[in-house]
Amino acid sequence: MTQTPLPAEIREKVTFNDAGLLPAIAQDAASGEVLMLAWMNAEALASTLSSGRATYWSRSRGELWRKGETSGHVQQVRQVSLDCDGDTVLLTVDQTGPACHTGARTCFTGREVVREGGHDDKT
């Protein structure tokens, strides 16, 4: 991937962590379902903005990866939003195929730790 600089007007709105990363949440544009969480550095964010395809930073491999490049499970980006602090990015995407590397539609399938409806309010 060629290096794409992050435009200054966007860079000044983003707060990267000490490792130069920010969490990126991918959300299905049609259903609103949260698909996955990954990480972006400035180059991944710039590439996503310029190409319209979700690009992330792999912390384990230490390199950029464009979602679906090998699997075909592409995330076409419709909208990119920053949270109020500028330290998290939300990608609204059209997902082709499963979002999770396990083959599940979302990375948040079958791993609930709190039952639906919340917690017991007894005191």
Side-chain angles (χ1 to χ4, degrees):
M1 251 176 263
T2 59
Q3 188 167 357
T4 306
L6 188 61
E9 66 273 9
I10 295 170
R11 177 67 179 100
E12 67 188 25
K13 296 176 184 177
V14 179
T15 304
F16 293 97
N17 68 16
D18 292 342
L21 302 173
L22 75 155
I25 301 164
Q27 180 182 35
D28 187 271
S31 70
E33 183 177 33
V34 174
L35 300 172
M36 58 179 276
L37 176 125
W39 294 89
M40 288 184 161
N41 62 7
E43 187 178 353
L45 180 56
S47 178
T48 297
L49 293 170
S50 66
S51 71
R53 293 256 321 268
T55 305
Y56 302 105
W57 176 257
S58 171
R59 295 177 299 164
S60 61
R61 294 189 312 263
E63 64 185 18
L64 292 177
W65 58 280
R66 183 166 284 147
K67 183 70 173 159
E69 200 159 63
T70 57
S71 68
H73 303 153
V74 174
Q75 290 176 344
Q76 192 65 41
V77 178
R78 284 199 192 180
Q79 183 174 337
V80 177
S81 304
L82 292 171
D83 76 339
C84 58
D85 298 320
D87 62 1
T88 302
V89 65
L90 174 65
L91 305 179
T92 306
V93 303
D94 291 322
Q95 176 71 46
T96 301
C100 188
H101 71 280
T102 66
R105 167 128 180 92
T106 168
C107 293
F108 297 95
T109 300
R111 297 186 55 101
E112 294 79 10
V113 293
V114 176
R115 64 181 164 83
E116 192 169 323
H119 45 77
D120 195 356
D121 288 335
K122 293 180 184 174
T123 48

